[in-house]
Amino acid sequence: MSNLYITIGREFGSGGREIGKKVAKALNIPYYDKELMAVAAQESGLSPQFLQSYDEKPTNSFLYSLVMGHQGMITGHQTTSVDQMAANAQRDAILSVADKGSCVIVGRCADYILRDRPGLVRIFITADLDARIARVSKRDGLDPKAAEEKIRRMDKTRASYYSFHTDRKWGAAECFDMCLSSSFLGVDKAAELILKLCEGMEK
Amino acid sequence: MSNLYITIGREFGSGGREIGKKVAKALNIPYYDKELMAVAAQESGLSPQFLQSYDEKPTNSFLYSLVMGHQGMITGHQTTSVDQMAANAQRDAILSVADKGSCVIVGRCADYILRDRPGLVRIFITADLDARIARVSKRDGLDPKAAEEKIRRMDKTRASYYSFHTDRKWGAAECFDMCLSSSFLGVDKAAELILKLCEGMEK
């Protein structure tokens, strides 16, 4: 019986977290998102605050690494930058929770980190900009303009982080097994389709 | 009762045609792919051979239009290039078959052409390169190297055609309601998931 690893990439404000939680609950398997930070802190000895500050964020020293031609997870040539320390701790946490059994993991290049594991399912969630603005406005208490700015900034940040740590393109259909629009489908139907896709895969 | 328009974009050799036919058969609605050529020929008076030669293909005069800043379907500023004549005939054919009722349409920017119609479902099919090479080798009687070259050329051509005639990016998850990998799922399961997505939408 093999494990099932459902990784969920997502546009900011598309409800990927909510969908992932529903899927994990229906399958009765653990869900990891921010929760990975605690695992990473415990296993690496780095502080949760430090890890949080680098969570899916390329920073100045990340940009420096990029300019200097340093690479992330792709080549295995690890830099000693703090960004890379944080990314490594998170990678180790992902491998560690995957060793424990089936799970749902949102973001953090989990699809790439677990690429050689049987039972991997790579999902990406999108949503129309209007729907994302509405969601982020409500959730974060922002006016629509500020919500849109945050969405654009966060998408750019996630895309950069993903590109740096993988050899793939964030949000390109070809990099995933299934991509779903939550604004078209709704959160419940998106979760239902993911469960339908997983039917017959042992957990 | 509203119509259902299932448009299927696809990477070359991903089995989009086969999946589309299965979906159309299950829903008992017409399927259009190369079949659009006959409709376009009949309605435009242009010869099927002429239309075939421009089917989803940007050509020299297309590139000329591009350089000269002419636009395709986006702006409505129609050039008189032969490419544009062919694209217009195909657009009119798509609008015409959609007027007749629910259908499945593969490729040809149908998702964009029908963007304002209720009942539109935008699907994109991908597959791993190895699976596509195997499919194209077998189907077209090519050795793997020739099959790979054809795949790369055809993908590039389709992407250019799509970019020129829409304001969207071919193969970007955000432009579709559902994207599926046929090499991960298989053709039958991909069709099944599309049908599951359409459940509850009137046809």
Side-chain angles (χ1 to χ4, degrees), chain A residues 10 12 53-59 62-63 108-109 149-165 170:
Chain A
R10 72 295 185 217
F12 189 75
S53 67
Y54 287 102
D55 186 29
E56 289 190 288
K57 289 173 199 142
T59 61
F62 161 87
L63 291 172
R108 297 162 187 84
C109 308
E149 278 167 12
K150 185 170 185 182
I151 286 166
R152 294 199 188 278
R153 192 175 64 246
M154 290 298 292
D155 276 359
K156 212 173 225 180
T157 302
R158 285 180 179 172
S160 301
Y161 185 86
Y162 190 81
S163 298
F164 185 68
H165 289 293
W170 188 78

Side-chain angles (χ1 to χ4, degrees), chain A residues 190-201:
Chain A
E192 200 185 321
L193 283 165
I194 295 169
L195 291 168
K196 181 88 187 159
L197 175 146
C198 295
E199 262 177 22
M201 294 180 76

